[in-house]
Amino acid sequence: METIALVYAHPYPRRSIACRALVDSAATLDGVEVRSLYNLYPDFEIDVAAERAVLERAGLVVLMHPIYWYSVPGMLKHYFDVVLTKGWAYGEGGGALAGKDCLWVSTTGGNDDAYTPEGRHHHVFAHFTPPVEQTARYCGMHWLDPFIVHGSHEIGAQALAASAAALKQRLADWRAKR
Ligand SMILES: Cc1cc2nc3c(=O)[nH]c(=O)nc-3n(C[C@H](O)[C@H](O)[C@H](O)COP(=O)(O)O)c2cc1C
């Protein structure tokens, strides 16, 4: 069975509320392999071979993290740099991820109003998507419609639980179609 690789990059996993709800829910689905990068590699010394093995057996790669400065937390950027190298992820002989699906799952502090031209962040959220999307596409992955939870500081427990359940359903639906 193809697994779902859930690459999880929260710098403070124990303090997380929003991402924690999402990752805990997703992890209850069979065949989901969670790689909590900040727990696994507190010194940033990523075991590249181990991470690649996880990705190789997956049909779906989930990238999950809180948005930090309109982007991914530093560890996930470092993961991209050292795991997705030429000859493995792209370039000659580099088709390890080609044909896999990629789902971006993220949480933001900003709510829907903040992510408008008039709002605090001056851009719609989709303007911040291309670096992650194109990283996946450059590696030949199919980019799925992202799963983003906005306004995560003000979201109530019930709405957060509903988001967490919706994410799990999304993964289950993906599995059912295989
Ligand atoms: C260093 C840092 C940078 C952040 N940058 C952004 C940002 O650019 N846009 C945004 O909407 N929220 C930003 N936030 C808010 C986080 O995205 C938010 O706290 C997180 O999604 C909540 O999820 P959690 O409960 O799992 O930590 C930032 C938070 C921190 C600590």
Side-chain angles (χ1 to χ4, degrees):
M1 179 182 74
E2 278 183 325
T3 58
I4 295 175
L6 198 165
V7 180
Y8 181 48
H10 197 299
Y12 310 103
R14 280 178 305 155
R15 279 193 239 155
S16 166
I17 295 172
C19 283
R20 185 202 289 233
L22 299 179
V23 74
D24 285 356
S25 172
T28 62
L29 194 68
D30 277 351
V32 174
E33 258 191 283
V34 178
R35 305 294 292 175
S36 180
L37 300 181
Y38 283 91
N39 286 119
L40 287 164
Y41 309 115
D43 54 4
F44 272 55
E45 287 293 329
I46 291 176
D47 182 338
V48 171
E51 295 309 317
R52 285 181 176 168
V54 170
L55 296 177
E56 279 166 0
R57 55 182 170 258
L60 171 62
V61 177
V62 178
L63 303 172
M64 185 189 292
H65 61 89
I67 291 290
Y68 273 21
W69 289 115
Y70 308 108
S71 186
V72 301
M75 174 72 89
L76 188 54
K77 177 61 168 57
H78 181 54
Y79 174 99
F80 291 160
D81 294 347
V82 299
V83 175
L84 308 182
T85 59
K86 190 173 181 184
W88 187 80
Y90 68 93
E92 188 157 349
L97 300 174
K100 298 180 189 292
D101 289 330
C102 182
L103 177 64
W104 188 33
V105 178
S106 195
T107 61
T108 73
N111 59 22
D112 289 337
D113 289 342
Y115 282 104
T116 60
E118 303 76 31
R120 188 188 316 159
H121 298 305
H122 292 288
H123 293 271
V124 295
F125 186 75
H127 288 177
F128 302 106
T129 301
V132 180
E133 177 175 348
Q134 184 51 26
T135 299
R137 289 193 191 279
Y138 199 72
C139 298
M141 291 195 275
H142 298 130
W143 183 250
L144 304 182
D145 190 24
F147 187 100
I148 310 294
V149 177
H150 291 297
S152 63
H153 299 157
E154 61 209 39
I155 194 170
Q158 227 178 335
L160 183 57
S163 283
L167 175 63
K168 182 177 176 183
Q169 189 59 51
R170 182 100 188 260
L171 301 183
D173 289 348
W174 178 87
R175 157 82 24 81
K177 286 198 199 115
R178 304 305 279 181

